[in-house]
Amino acid sequence: IFLSTKPQQITAALGQMQASTNGKLVISIAAGINLATLNAALTEARLVRVMPNTPCLIGQSASGYCLGPRTTPGDAQLVGHLLGAVGKAFAVDEKLLDAVTGLSGSGPAFVYVMIEALADGGVRMGLSREVALALAAQTVRGAAQMVLETGEHPAVLKDRVASPAGTTIAGLQALETGGLRGTLMNAVEAATRRSIELGQV
C-alpha cells in the first residue's frame, strides 16, 4: 500500500487506514512524517519511508528510503526493485531522509530555475527562446551525465572547461560574485528544515 497524501493530511489518512493495513507493507512518501508517527497509527503494518522525486515520471528518479519495524529482507528487496525501476534509490538512515527531501525531493525545482535562468541569459545575448531553452536543458543534462558516468568530482570537470583567461572563468567569477553556490546550499537547508517542520504533526 502506498501512502502518498500531503503531510498536512496524514493524521486523517492514518485514522482511516488501521484495519486495512494489518500485516501489509505500507510505503509512505509523505514528506517529513517519521516512522514513529506511522508506527503509532499503523501498529501491525510493515513500514517503509521513501522520498522520491518527480523525475520518476520519466524513469530518472533520485530516491532515498529507510526500512521501518517489522519489515523483512523480502520487503527491502521489493522496495529497492520498485524504486530502481524508476531511477536510482539509496537506503539511508531515517535521520537523513529530511536531507534527501531537501536535496533531491525539492532539487528538481532548483534545477528548473537554473535552466530557466541559463536560457534567459541566452535570450539576453540574442538567441531565440526555443534554441536557448533547448541548449540550456541539454547542457544541464549532459553535465549531469558526465558526473554520473565519469565518477569524477564536479570541481575537476569544471576546471577542465575553464581555460586561463577564457570565457568560462569569467562566467564562474560572475556566479561566485552572485553567490550561486551559497544560495543553492541555503535552498537545500531551507527545504530540509521545512521537511522537519512538516513531520511535527
Side-chain angles (χ1 to χ4, degrees), residues 128-146:
S128 71
R129 173 65 61 185
E130 181 181 12
V131 169
L133 185 57
L135 285 171
Q138 182 62 33
T139 296
V140 170
R141 179 184 191 178
Q145 200 66 30
M146 286 280 287

Side-chain angles (χ1 to χ4, degrees), residues 171-183:
L172 288 169
Q173 182 182 16
L175 293 179
E176 293 293 347
T177 300
L180 177 69
R181 187 189 307 259
T183 299

Side-chain angles (χ1 to χ4, degrees), residues 113-123 127 132-133 135-137 139-140 175:
V113 170
M114 288 187 286
I115 292 171
E116 181 184 33
L118 287 169
D120 285 347
V123 170
L127 293 172
L133 185 57
L135 285 171
T139 296
V140 170
L175 293 179

